[in-house]
């Protein structure tokens, strides 16, 4: 009888210990992860390990990456020299982007440079202590995903919508302005909100068409015809995929396009006021070089906005749509002369 009681006592003790262990594990798993780990200046090395994470294979992101590399080289951190640089291009694959960011964190890179908003979000989710420089990121200060991260700084790419509309209004009627946007894209939705505010300020009638990527493109674009005198197109991968269709329909209706970024002008938009993505990347590369010197952490470097946007005008569209350009606007702009079979030139 005594031996059975002893066995029962041990079983009860083991059960109690297991309960305590499980309770501790559940508490740890349910407790919120701390927002910040230790963020310290980068230690001095002969060769620094840098990861560049690019979310999409887009011309503007390629230019940003090229600018970053040029700035690093100018500051003495050339690839194959004082820097070992791994560049990953996720090509719009969110799983690859997330996995690549986590690999950079596991590899304990000295620095991560994130090209584009999605890359920056993947990077801050993967690490809270490795320094991150975001290049071409929207809503650094308002996006909750970036809140409280001492390891993050960079260059913003907020669309200059007010400036774009003001410049466009000098050579075309924007009183009936259309916008084609993908409501599933957070950046595009933000631009719609900004454009609504601008339209209200300027007395512009705004006609919105929400683009559905899973439906045929041309019928959706045709919805704009007859309602607008000009079209604003925000940056969105799905819209860029069908940008040639947008240009075809708008040209057929004699409606000029205001593009959110300059690459749209190369493809048929009439005008854009947008940053130089190469210069944006170069600025981000100089920030990265400042961190590599080991005196600062990211929160010591203020997040910056690109200050010198380009006015880019497609002269082929100007001529085709018979658009009158004021002399000062003509002088200030970078003019793309696009002829069939020939490359664009400034």
């Amino acid at each position: 009888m005594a031996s059975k009681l002893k066995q029962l006592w041990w079983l009860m003790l083991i059960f109690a210990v297991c309960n305590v262990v499980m309770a501790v594990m559940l508490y740890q798993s349910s407790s919120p992860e701390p927002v910040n780990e230790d963020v310290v200046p980068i230690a001095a090395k002969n060769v620094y390990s840098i990861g560049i994470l690019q979310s999409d294979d887009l011309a503007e992101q390629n230019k940003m990456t090229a600018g970053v590399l040029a700035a690093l080289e100018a500051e003495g951190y050339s690839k194959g020299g004082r820097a070992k640089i791994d560049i990953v291009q996720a090509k719009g694959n969110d799983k690859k982007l997330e996995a690549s960011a986590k690999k950079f964190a596991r590899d304990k890179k000295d620095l991560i440079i994130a090209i584009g908003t999605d890359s920056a979000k993947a990077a801050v989710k993967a690490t809270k202590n490795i320094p991150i420089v975001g290049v071409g990121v929207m809503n650094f200060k308002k996006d909750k995903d970036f809140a409280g991260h001492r390891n993050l700084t960079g260059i913003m790419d907020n669309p200059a919508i007010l400036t774009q509309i003001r410049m466009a209004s000098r050579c075309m009627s924007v009183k009936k302005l259309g916008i084609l946007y993908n409501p599933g894209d957070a950046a595009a939705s933000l631009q719609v909100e900004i454009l609504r505010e601008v339209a209200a300020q300027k007395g512009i009638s705004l006609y919105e068409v929400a683009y559905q990527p899973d439906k045929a493109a041309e019928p959706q674009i045709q919805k704009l015809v007859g309602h607008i005198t000009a079209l604003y197109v925000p940056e969105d991968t799905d819209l860029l995929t069908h940008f040639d269709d947008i240009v075809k329909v708008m040209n057929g209706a004699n409606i000029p396009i205001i593009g959110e970024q300059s690459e749209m002008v190369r493809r048929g938009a009439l005008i854009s006021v947008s940053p130089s993505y190469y210069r944006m990347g170069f600025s981000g590369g100089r920030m990265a070089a400042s961190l590599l010197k080991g005196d600062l952490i990211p929160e010591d470097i203020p997040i910056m906005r690109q200050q010198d946007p380009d006015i880019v005008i497609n002269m082929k569209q100007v001529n085709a749509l018979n658009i009158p350009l004021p002399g000062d606007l003509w002088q200030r702009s970078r003019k793309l002369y696009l002829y069939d079979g020939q490359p664009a030139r400034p």
Side-chain angles (χ1 to χ4, degrees), residues 3-109:
S3 62
K4 287 184 178 180
L5 287 173
K6 190 173 182 180
Q7 287 177 356
L8 181 61
W9 184 86
W10 276 108
L11 286 171
M12 292 175 65
L13 180 62
I14 292 170
F15 180 74
V17 170
C18 288
N19 279 340
V20 171
V21 171
M22 288 180 67
V24 170
M25 290 176 67
L26 285 170
Y27 173 79
Q28 289 178 341
S29 64
S30 62
S31 297
E33 190 175 353
V35 173
N36 290 307
E37 300 169 2
D38 290 336
V39 182
V40 298
I42 298 171
K45 295 182 177 181
N46 292 326
V47 178
Y48 294 89
S49 179
I50 301 170
I52 297 180
L53 190 60
Q54 185 175 324
S55 60
D56 293 281
D57 183 15
L58 296 172
E60 60 268 26
Q61 290 199 2
N62 293 334
K63 289 179 180 179
M64 284 188 254
T65 298
V68 165
L69 294 172
L72 288 173
E73 184 172 357
E75 295 285 344
Y77 302 100
S78 60
K79 188 175 182 178
R82 292 196 64 200
K84 180 181 181 298
I85 303 175
D86 293 325
I87 303 174
V88 174
Q89 190 181 88
K91 296 186 177 181
N93 186 321
D94 291 340
K95 290 184 179 179
K96 181 177 180 180
L97 188 65
E98 181 182 355
S100 300
K102 289 179 178 179
K103 187 176 187 305
F104 281 171
R106 287 197 305 272
D107 293 345
K108 297 183 178 179
K109 297 290 186 186

Side-chain angles (χ1 to χ4, degrees), residues 235-312:
E235 183 178 359
D236 173 75
T237 304
D238 292 306
L239 287 178
L240 289 174
T241 301
H242 296 286
F243 197 76
D244 294 342
D245 295 319
I246 297 172
V247 173
K248 177 184 174 183
V249 174
M250 292 299 106
N251 280 353
N254 206 42
I255 297 171
I257 299 171
I258 306 163
E260 193 272 313
Q261 43 99 332
S262 58
E263 289 303 315
M264 294 180 184
V265 180
R266 293 184 179 274
R267 295 181 60 182
L270 187 135
I271 188 171
S272 177
V273 182
S274 59
S276 164
Y277 290 106
Y278 181 87
R279 290 200 299 271
M280 185 182 289
F282 197 91
S283 298
R286 293 187 66 182
M287 279 187 175
S290 297
L291 292 170
L292 290 170
K293 291 175 182 176
D295 300 321
L296 304 170
I297 63 173
E299 74 168 355
D300 297 329
I301 303 176
I303 291 167
M304 294 174 55
R305 183 193 301 271
Q306 194 71 22
Q307 297 295 331
D308 50 350
D310 288 332
I311 303 171
V312 187

Side-chain angles (χ1 to χ4, degrees), residues 119-280:
S119 294
K121 288 188 176 186
V124 297
K125 288 177 182 177
T127 178
K128 297 178 180 64
N129 61 343
I130 296 175
I132 299 167
V133 175
V135 181
V137 178
M138 292 186 67
N139 288 329
F140 259 123
K141 297 179 179 179
K142 293 183 180 180
D143 197 311
K144 63 181 181 180
D145 289 334
F146 301 132
H149 285 272
R150 299 178 61 219
N151 65 323
L152 176 67
T153 188
I155 308 290
M156 290 191 292
D157 183 21
N158 286 3
I161 292 178
L162 181 59
T163 304
Q164 289 167 344
I165 300 304
R166 186 169 63 245
M167 288 297 175
S169 67
R170 299 195 58 211
C171 58
M172 67 181 78
S173 172
V174 296
K175 287 299 180 182
K176 295 181 179 179
L177 183 64
I179 180 168
L180 182 68
Y181 74 101
N182 178 1
D185 183 274
S189 296
L190 172 68
Q191 290 174 69
V192 173
E193 292 179 15
I194 297 172
L195 192 55
R196 286 171 183 160
E197 294 176 5
V198 172
Q201 293 173 16
K202 299 294 182 181
I204 295 171
S205 172
L206 189 62
Y207 189 83
E208 302 177 16
V209 171
Y211 179 78
Q212 304 296 328
D214 58 341
K215 295 182 179 179
E218 191 164 334
Q220 299 184 75
I221 301 165
Q222 286 285 358
K223 292 178 182 179
L224 295 154
V225 177
H227 299 281
I228 63 174
T229 56
L231 174 65
Y232 184 87
V233 181
E235 183 178 359
D236 173 75
T237 304
D238 292 306
L239 287 178
L240 289 174
T241 301
H242 296 286
F243 197 76
D244 294 342
D245 295 319
I246 297 172
V247 173
K248 177 184 174 183
V249 174
M250 292 299 106
N251 280 353
N254 206 42
I255 297 171
I257 299 171
I258 306 163
E260 193 272 313
Q261 43 99 332
S262 58
E263 289 303 315
M264 294 180 184
V265 180
R266 293 184 179 274
R267 295 181 60 182
L270 187 135
I271 188 171
S272 177
V273 182
S274 59
S276 164
Y277 290 106
Y278 181 87
R279 290 200 299 271
M280 185 182 289

